[in-house]
């Protein structure tokens, strides 16, 4: 029995020693080791982690409070090869954060370094220089556009209703299916064979109860609309995740795939900057809300036909604001009084307008 007790004691001691070494992986093992030396308790991204979003804020958590004056761009650096990445370092509690000045490159290796210049509140430095690497995700090649199929024949396409408070101006065709023309209101339509016209529409108005081949054409267009929505929603390897926690007003968005799990708000002017072939896909799990008197602009040759908003919730464009892009909405799209839009409104429920100007892309 004594042998068993001794064996158990050895096992327990070994396990304890192993756990201690794991918890102190950054502690020095030399004879001069200071037991009060701080260590890095956790880090994000972790070593060799991949598919990291390109707007990632690096987090380094120490096991104790540090001297804030020693947590800076000298002691914490980010490098891509031999190039140092510009950014800002912040510190609160026991957590240091590095925020890159620009978004990181896609599919690229980066190295984080924390030097022994980082010290705790008592002036004791971390035991060793620390270094680890991660790889960004995103798309190293240009995104492919979302194919609209015949849904791209319409500036407005909806399933349950198109409601308009006159007078609005639409450039392009309007389509509604599977609901009848009676669910298109506020246009004072003049009927023709297979379509209607209106003084407010520089194009034609189509509904599911009109003469052939309109019903079949609309059925196909609505199916294509759903397929395009699923395509946009199904894109993987986002370049940007939860960018600015969904408040993108006042920002400039570069090309790429964006993903938010909450509502996106546009409270100030927003710019899309890229060339004529660049593509933006914005995946929004909740709503998109645009404040009044706000404008979306394009620069560098960016084209409205290459900006795709995939929104699971509602899209609300504020009074006298201006919006750019192709909108796919699962729940509904509303343009408030005097708002304008360059793009397309593709709603799997209703589209609602109030003295608006809507122009399809060229």
């Amino acid at each position: 029995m004594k042998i068993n007790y001794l064996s158990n004691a050895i096992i327990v001691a070994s396990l304890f020693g192993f756990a201690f070494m794991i918890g102190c992986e950054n502690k020095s093992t030399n004879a001069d080791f200071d037991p009060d030396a701080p260590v890095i308790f956790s880090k994000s991204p972790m070593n060799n982690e991949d598919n990291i979003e390109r707007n990632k804020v690096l987090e380094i958590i120490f096991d104790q409070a540090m001297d804030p004056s020693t947590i800076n761009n000298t002691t914490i650096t980010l490098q891509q090869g031999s190039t140092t990445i510009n950014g800002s370092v912040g510190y609160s509690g026991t957590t240091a954060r590095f925020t890159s000045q620009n978004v990181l490159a896609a599919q690229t290796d980066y190295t984080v370094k924390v030097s022994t210049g980082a010290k705790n509140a008592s002036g004791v430095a971390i035991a060793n220089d620390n270094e680890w690497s991660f790889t960004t995700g995103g798309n190293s090649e240009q995104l492919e556009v979302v194919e609209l199929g015949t849904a791209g024949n319409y500036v407005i396409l909806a399933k349950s209703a198109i409601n308009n408070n006159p007078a609005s101006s639409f450039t392009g065709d309007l389509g509604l299916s599977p609901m009848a023309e009676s669910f298109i209101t506020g246009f004072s339509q003049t009927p023709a064979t297979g379509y209607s016209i209106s003084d407010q529409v520089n194009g034609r108005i189509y509904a599911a109860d009109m003469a052939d081949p309109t019903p079949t054409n609309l059925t196909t267009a609505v199916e294509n609309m759903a397929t395009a929505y699923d395509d946009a929603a199904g894109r993987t390897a986002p370049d940007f995740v939860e960018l600015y926690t969904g408040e993108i007003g006042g920002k400039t968005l570069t090309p790429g795939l964006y993903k938010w799990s909450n509502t996106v708000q546009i409270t100030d002017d927003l710019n899309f900057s890229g060339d004529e072939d660049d593509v933006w896909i914005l995946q929004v799990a909740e709503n998109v809300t645009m404040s009044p008197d706000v404008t979306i602009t394009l620069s560098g040759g960016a084209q409205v036909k290459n900006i795709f908003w995939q929104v699971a919730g509602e899209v609300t464009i504020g009074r006298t604001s201006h919006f750019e892009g192709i909108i796919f909405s699962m729940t509904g799209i509303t343009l408030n009084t005097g708002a304008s839009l360059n793009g397309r409104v593709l709603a799997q429920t209703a589209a609602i307008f109030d003295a608006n100007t809507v122009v399809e892309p060229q």
Side-chain angles (χ1 to χ4, degrees):
M1 294 301 292
K2 289 182 178 180
I3 294 176
N4 289 340
Y5 286 139
L6 179 60
S7 298
N8 290 341
I10 292 172
I11 291 170
V12 169
S14 299
L15 290 174
F16 177 80
F18 177 74
F20 178 79
M21 287 188 291
I22 292 295
C24 301
E25 60 175 342
N26 297 310
K27 298 279 190 180
S28 174
T29 56
N30 63 41
D32 297 327
F33 165 66
D34 187 336
D36 295 325
V39 298
I40 295 175
F41 179 74
S42 68
K43 52 206 175 191
S44 177
M46 298 177 64
N47 188 36
N48 295 324
E49 192 171 355
D50 58 12
N51 290 323
I52 302 303
E53 56 266 29
R54 295 169 58 194
N55 62 302
K56 175 70 176 178
V57 175
L58 312 184
E59 288 194 345
I60 302 161
I61 302 177
F62 298 93
D63 68 338
Q64 55 188 278
M66 304 293 286
D67 178 357
S69 68
T70 68
I71 308 299
N72 51 49
N73 287 94
T74 300
T75 56
I76 297 178
T77 59
L78 178 66
Q79 291 185 301
Q80 193 271 305
S82 59
T83 301
T84 299
I85 305 302
N86 293 328
S88 60
V89 175
Y91 179 75
S92 177
T94 58
T95 302
R97 294 179 175 85
F98 179 94
T99 303
S100 175
Q101 180 176 315
N102 300 303
V103 296
L104 304 179
Q107 301 291 327
T108 301
D109 295 330
Y110 288 89
T111 300
V112 187
K113 296 182 180 181
V114 181
S115 76
T116 54
K119 300 178 180 180
N120 68 10
S122 300
V124 179
I126 60 174
N128 304 299
D129 289 336
N130 287 259
E131 180 176 313
W132 66 96
S133 299
F134 65 89
T135 304
T136 54
N139 299 275
S140 56
E141 298 180 357
Q142 183 174 289
L143 277 176
E144 294 184 0
V145 298
V146 178
E147 295 295 342
L148 303 181
T150 61
N153 294 338
Y154 303 88
V155 65
I156 311 295
L157 182 61
K159 294 177 68 174
S160 62
I162 300 175
N163 298 328
N164 173 48
N165 186 26
S168 294
S169 173
F170 297 86
T171 300
D173 292 341
L174 281 60
L176 180 68
S177 180
M179 302 306 290
E181 186 179 10
S182 60
F183 289 85
I184 301 176
T185 62
F187 290 91
S188 301
Q189 299 99 300
T190 300
T193 303
Y195 63 93
S196 292
I197 59 174
S198 168
D199 291 340
Q200 298 177 74
V201 181
N202 183 13
R204 295 177 173 181
I205 300 173
Y206 297 92
D209 60 340
M210 292 177 174
D212 293 336
T214 295
T216 300
N217 291 342
L218 285 172
T219 296
T220 301
V222 167
E223 290 173 350
N224 292 165
M225 174 174 66
T227 299
Y229 178 97
D230 291 341
D231 176 17
R235 300 293 182 96
T236 58
D239 297 282
F240 310 99
V241 178
E242 314 296 356
L243 185 66
Y244 307 121
T245 63
E247 171 51 272
I248 59 176
K251 309 301 183 183
T252 294
L253 302 187
T254 56
L257 178 61
Y258 294 74
K259 185 179 183 67
W260 289 276
S261 62
N262 55 3
T263 288
V264 167
Q265 299 184 52
I266 310 171
T267 59
D268 201 350
D269 293 350
L270 171 67
N271 176 250
F272 287 87
S273 179
D275 66 35
E276 62 181 8
D277 296 320
D278 284 330
V279 175
W280 292 256
I281 299 177
L282 302 95
Q283 301 171 330
V284 184
E286 294 183 3
N287 304 320
V288 170
T289 302
M290 189 175 192
S291 297
D293 305 316
V294 169
T295 299
I296 295 178
T297 58
L298 309 183
S299 62
Q303 298 195 77
V304 64
K305 67 179 182 179
N306 293 334
I307 301 171
F308 302 93
W309 300 79
Q310 176 265 311
V311 184
E314 299 179 3
V315 177
T316 304
I317 300 174
R319 175 181 48 80
T320 67
S321 286
H322 177 73
F323 196 92
E324 297 267 345
I326 313 299
I327 304 175
F328 304 106
S329 174
M330 183 68 73
T331 310
I333 302 171
T334 299
L335 275 68
N336 286 315
T337 307
S340 60
L341 181 147
N342 290 340
R344 300 188 193 278
V345 171
L346 306 176
Q348 296 195 42
T349 54
I352 300 172
F353 304 95
D354 184 1
N356 305 124
T357 300
V358 183
V359 179
E360 67 181 347
Q362 300 302 311

